[in-house]
Amino acid sequence: MNQQDSFENAFRQARELHKAGRLDEAERAYMALAQPGAERRELVLQALAELYMQTRRVGQLVDAMVALTEEAPDNFTYSAQLATLLDRLGHTEAAIDEYHRLISRQPDHAVAQFNLALLYKRALRYRDALSAYEEALRLGIDRLSEVYSNMGVVCTEMRDPVRARKMYEQALEHDSAYIPALFNLAGLHEEAGDRDEATRLYEKILNLDPAHGEALARLAYAAGSESESEQLVARLTAATGEPGDATLTREGLYFALGKLHDQLGAYEQAANAYTEANALGKSRLPPYQRDSIESSIGELMDLYDKEWIEQFAGESNASPVFVCGMFRSGSTLVERMLGAHSAITAGGELDFLPWLIA
């Protein structure tokens, strides 16, 4: 029997063990065939990665994927899979490094630049994200509407609504029916107080996709007159009864419906809608665990004490002002009132501190 036949027989036996659920034996058989320099090592590493994914052995899966990228360093699929895995494990910077390694070998890979931009955004490295998107555009990536829309999201995160609007408009120049760009652009107009344009854009989304629950819900917040609110009540009531809607979408619809009823003075109906929304929220979220929350807060207080704050104090003379409150309690209104003062700059609902702590 020649070497090729020997490998085929051994690999076939390993696969049969794998399919039969004899995973420990299959792993040993694979490992024997996956030694450095072994024939068709890439094929065996693929099988090992499959086994580790099946058994949820994350550490070994990472090792197998790293070995695959070393065995086939120009294989984009392996690098993308490894980067996704690292990112999901919370190692976003390591995922970024993997794309840098690939791009150093394939500098003209537009999709790698696009994926790198997504990771930069997750790491809150917004300027790097924009640079990577621009490089993807320079390299001729397709899906231009998606790229420009994503750049708009990054600009929004950077609190640059003017540039964000330009990005969304560029996305729509390439595809006037690209719903993510329409939705985000409508949100910018709504935040700027331009209700008419926001409403027009939300209605355009609903013409393109009548089942777009998020756009319908936002219409309720953009509504100005009583007649608009009354018309929307009927539309939202019908939408909440649509089968197949995601729980989060129906939850948002009920909150919007509650807002409209409250605005129209129908307080009992408003309370019923809010009750439905909260019930949906409870169904999709883990139950509140008081002891666990108190323990987490206690750990944060112990860690970030006075000495820690003094040790890591910045050089700015500006003092932070934290506006705290439950949802829909008026915290945004308070922020806007404070932000009108010349000595205060409003920061919006920043997620930087929770991200940094996590």
Side-chain angles (χ1 to χ4, degrees):
M1 181 182 295
N2 61 36
Q3 188 175 6
Q4 175 68 22
D5 291 339
S6 177
F7 170 84
E8 294 291 350
N9 287 335
F11 184 71
R12 183 173 60 255
Q13 290 172 9
R15 292 297 290 171
E16 288 173 355
L17 290 169
H18 191 164
K19 292 177 182 178
R22 297 162 63 180
L23 301 181
D24 290 341
E25 296 174 70
E27 181 184 8
R28 287 194 293 272
Y30 286 143
M31 292 294 290
L33 295 170
Q35 299 304 312
E39 181 183 2
R40 302 187 68 182
R41 184 168 183 255
E42 181 180 344
L43 179 64
V44 182
L45 288 171
Q46 288 176 345
L48 265 174
E50 178 187 337
L51 186 149
Y52 293 141
M53 184 177 298
Q54 179 182 345
T55 55
R56 300 187 178 183
R57 293 161 63 182
V58 177
Q60 290 92 332
L61 176 57
V62 171
D63 290 342
M65 293 306 305
V66 169
L68 274 170
T69 62
E70 292 172 348
E71 192 71 17
D74 291 321
N75 187 304
F76 172 77
T77 299
Y78 295 155
S79 290
Q81 290 174 343
L82 175 59
T84 299
L85 177 61
L86 291 169
D87 180 47
R88 289 178 178 174
L89 292 172
H91 305 304
T92 303
E93 290 296 336
I96 288 171
D97 290 341
E98 175 57 26
Y99 272 113
H100 279 303
R101 184 202 65 78
L102 180 68
I103 290 170
S104 70
R105 298 179 62 88
Q106 301 182 52
D108 295 333
H109 204 302
V111 176
Q113 290 286 355
F114 177 86
N115 291 355
L116 177 61
L118 295 174
L119 291 171
Y120 275 141
K121 180 180 180 297
R122 285 179 58 81
L124 305 190
R125 294 169 60 176
Y126 296 134
R127 296 188 187 283
D128 289 332
L130 288 177
S131 296
Y133 279 130
E134 288 167 356
E135 183 65 10
L137 289 169
R138 187 188 70 79
L139 293 172
I141 194 170
D142 53 7
R143 297 159 33 203
L144 295 179
S145 294
E146 181 180 359
V147 176
Y148 280 115
S149 185
N150 287 2
M151 292 176 74
V153 172
V154 173
C155 292
T156 299
E157 294 287 345
M158 294 173 71
R159 302 299 188 267
D160 189 349
V162 174
R163 191 177 180 188
R165 178 175 174 173
K166 290 179 180 178
M167 293 296 104
Y168 295 136
E169 289 174 345
Q170 280 189 271
L172 295 171
E173 285 179 8
H174 292 281
D175 182 358
S176 61
Y178 190 64
I179 287 179
L182 288 168
F183 187 80
N184 290 327
L185 181 58
L188 284 182
H189 283 290
E190 186 181 346
E191 290 177 7
D194 189 354
R195 291 182 172 182
D196 290 342
E197 183 61 14
T199 298
R200 185 188 73 80
L201 291 169
Y202 288 135
E203 290 287 11
K204 181 174 181 178
I205 293 170
L206 290 166
N207 286 332
L208 294 167
D209 179 10
H212 198 290
E214 292 86 352
L216 181 57
R218 291 314 311 170
L219 274 177
Y221 296 97
S225 66
E226 183 174 324
S227 61
E228 283 182 303
S229 298
E230 289 175 343
Q231 292 172 5
L232 281 169
V233 164
R235 294 172 67 182
L236 282 162
T237 301
T240 56
E242 289 291 330
D245 274 346
T247 300
L248 183 59
T249 299
R250 293 184 67 236
E251 181 183 336
L253 289 169
Y254 272 114
F255 273 123
L257 185 59
K259 181 261 185 189
L260 291 172
H261 280 309
D262 182 65
Q263 192 171 306
L264 293 168
Y267 303 120
E268 183 176 351
Q269 292 94 319
N272 290 337
Y274 286 136
T275 298
E276 290 287 348
N278 287 323
L280 288 167
K282 288 177 67 175
S283 72
R284 69 176 179 84
L285 296 170
Y288 176 73
Q289 297 179 338
R290 179 173 178 173
D291 292 343
S292 176
I293 297 298
E294 288 184 350
S295 175
S296 297
I297 297 298
E299 289 177 5
L300 290 176
M301 292 171 67
D302 290 340
L303 176 60
Y304 301 107
D305 56 13
K306 180 180 178 181
E307 289 73 22
W308 188 96
I309 292 173
E310 289 176 349
Q311 180 182 356
F312 293 100
E315 298 179 356
S316 173
N317 293 323
S319 298
V321 177
F322 295 96
V323 180
C324 304
M326 296 295 288
F327 295 113
R328 300 172 178 82
S329 64
S331 55
T332 302
L333 177 61
V334 171
E335 182 207 30
R336 288 178 179 173
M337 293 169 64
L338 293 173
H341 195 284
S342 60
I344 297 178
T345 298
E349 296 183 5
L350 301 176
D351 60 1
F352 179 75
L353 286 177
W355 175 88
L356 190 62
I357 291 170

